[in-house]
Amino acid sequence: MVALRFGVGVPGGTAVAVLLLVAFVGVVWLSLRELRFEPNRRRSLVLGALRIATAAAALLLAVQPTWTGDRIQRAEGDLALLVDRSRSMSIAAEGTTRAGRAARLLGRWRDGSGADAVGTHAFGTSVRPASLAELAEGFDAADDETRIGAAVGELLRADVQGDLGAVVVLSDGAESARGPSAEELARHGVKVHAVAIGADEELCDDAIAEVQADAVAFVRQQARVRVVVRSLGGGGRPIPVSLRLGEQLVREVVAEPDEHGEAAVEIPFVPDDLGRAVYRLSIPVAPEDAVPENNDRAFLVRVTRDKLRVLLVAGRPSWDERFLRAFLKRDPAIDLISFFILRTAADLTMASPDELALIPFPTDELFSEHLGSFDLVLFQNFEYGPYQMGGYLPRIRDYVRRGGGFAMIGGDLGFASGGYAETPLAQILPVEMPPTGTPETRAVVPGSFTPRLASEMARHPLLELLPDPAANAQAWASLAPLEGANVITGLRGDGRALLSHPTERATDGSPMPVLAVGTEGRGRALALATDTSWRWGITTGGRTGDPSAYERFWDRALRWLTRDPSLEPARITTDRERYGPGARVRVEALLRDERYEPLADRAVRIALVDDTGQEIASSDVRVDGQGGAHAVLDGPGHPGGYRAVARALDADEPLAEEGFVVEAGGDELADPRPRPELLRRLAEATGGTFHDDPDEAPALADFDSTRTRSLGTTRIAPFASWWAFLIVVALFAAEWMVRRTWGRR
């Protein structure tokens, strides 16, 4: 039994117990004052004693004092040894690394008693079995993280039979990744003994201790990175901090450490290019710097636009134009520039153009000067001819090939009706159109129709109004019919039909596409051969009460056209964004084809490549039935920016890629100071011993590996019984009888 804990069982707890105690004192005090006038001293003492005993018994019955304690069993258990192999153990002081000092102690333990009975493990980022004899010969400290709590917790979870009695942790205590707390580990009843390495070290080190930068920055807008600089033994001298992009110096600021040796500075920078950018922070390396690796750190920034810039050009006002324009304007994440045409350059006017409220269409300004600033261009029932735009269509084609998005929405001025069949835009659209200007050309199919979903493209995000396939098909079937469609003669290039006409046929006899998507160069294009998609909103809402299909469709269409990562068919991620040299990189991939069908049972290569495209490490894996693939690779050994890439074995172009950074110091070496206090707290919480000098640590056989196991809780409540109540009643009765016998009330 451990030490008993006292408590009270009265409702209200200690506060009510105190009030009852005050009442007890008051009753006793009044009784004793009353007995001052009793002439017989013997009677006075008897009555006082009875009153005190009765009040005390009533108080105990009301308060219900209790004592609780745990019943435990002690048994001899096994001993496990955890040896820290993280990079902080490679730090040297006085010519010897922490790993070297640990190896010296391990050699003594290897040659001493009890070595054969110890289960030895190395830990850092993960826990793995190790040989005590091999570790004693010296070991490389290369793990990218120190996970002390997680390592102990993993051993405890693996102890299914309950044989483990104690764990000996040999570490510098410089934990860089939080795990279970000491209190949580103590609940298992296993002692943790700790031997601190480097507790007596005095380091001289300047370090970039912390970097806080947003994962996303906006192009041509100021961003900031917050840098914490720590100087150990530096005497508070100023430290210049440099920010570089590649080899270009972006900015330099000076940090002034305070009396604790720390300083925080903010460095502004302005990204100029979209995409991923690796920035590097550095401080000078002093000759006496013990850890030069933490003087240089990098961070990854994804540079994007703060808003999606959309250019909408409509041929004339219409219901379709009104609904799409209203949808785009409602979204705060969209910066919309829209034009619809009310007059052309050929219109006759009776006044000077400068006196007209309607401005001419700014063709040159839009498509010569500002085209590259837009993420997406929409032509909605628009005919280019009357605005002398023929010379600008090649610019739009090239804009898409460079990565822009383009959508053509039908109507009587779109597709073949607008004369686009022989223009450069026909080279980027995913559909073929009938030739322009021949008498037999039929450009529009009249009448209402309900488009059919392409079953082979059912997983495409533009068709996924609902996540459940059956419910999604029902949602499309419940939409209001469309009115009229532009004639499409077939698909072009890698174009894929998502919706088709129920009765009309393309030239090859297949159903005529109504909605088709495709890629051209680095960009994407969409063709919607109707100008009545607005009926999916207001008309459907009037019939079913749910008008949201229109907005869901166009939201996904815009995101797909502008390559929203969440809608990409193939994605790849790494378990972290920053690593140390040689760290293990865990890569997860979701791989689907352009139809968004999983690349099931396909062999793919997952590789780590540098900026030049050279593979650093790779693994050939097979994709599971859901499109998932994963690999664990040895990371690059040199600092810099790298990419995780997934590609088919028979293709050069990657299916997906993601950037990450390798830095010499990283979080593991950002604070190189040993932290023996963490090890001390762990040992004290679990009932183990702590040793701050490895040379004075006992032999392995001398560590206590007795395991304590709880057998339950014992509760002692002596006054929670019927006989306690009878005692109180008996005392009351005795006092009453004595007082009556002696003539007192």
Side-chain angles (χ1 to χ4, degrees), residues 213-288:
D214 292 333
V216 177
F218 302 121
V219 66
R220 292 184 290 277
Q221 293 191 26
Q222 189 177 87
R224 291 181 178 272
V225 57
R226 183 176 183 271
V227 185
V228 177
V229 177
R230 180 182 296 114
S231 179
L232 303 177
R237 64 179 183 276
I239 301 175
V241 184
S242 301
L243 175 66
R244 285 181 169 82
L245 178 62
E247 297 302 321
Q248 176 188 358
L249 177 64
V250 177
R251 186 159 301 202
E252 184 174 274
V253 299
V254 176
E256 302 278 353
D258 58 17
E259 65 273 14
H260 304 292
E262 289 194 358
V265 294
E266 284 193 349
I267 306 177
F269 61 98
V270 179
D272 293 325
D273 299 313
L274 293 170
R276 298 181 182 90
V278 178
Y279 286 87
R280 188 165 58 89
L281 293 158
S282 62
I283 59 177
V285 179
E288 66 276 11

Side-chain angles (χ1 to χ4, degrees), residues 454-472:
S455 58
E456 69 276 9
M457 298 294 293
R459 293 176 180 264
H460 197 283
L462 267 67
L463 298 182
E464 200 173 36
L465 298 180
L466 296 173
D468 179 68
N472 187 59

Side-chain angles (χ1 to χ4, degrees), residues 29 46 173 191 224 289 313 346 354-355 366 396 584 611 704:
W29 182 75
V46 171
K191 298 180 180 66
R224 291 181 178 272
D289 199 314
V313 182
D354 295 336
E355 299 176 3
L366 285 175
I396 299 176
R584 303 281 282 176
D611 289 337
D704 181 12

Side-chain angles (χ1 to χ4, degrees), residues 393-404:
L393 298 186
R395 292 179 178 271
I396 299 176
R397 176 198 62 198
D398 296 340
Y399 154 82
V400 172
R401 289 175 174 172
R402 291 192 302 269

Side-chain angles (χ1 to χ4, degrees), residues 30 112 144 233 251 312 326 382 402 404 411 418 430 519 599 607 650:
L30 291 174
D144 203 33
R251 186 159 301 202
L312 171 63
F382 174 68
R402 291 192 302 269
T519 59
L599 297 176
D650 55 354

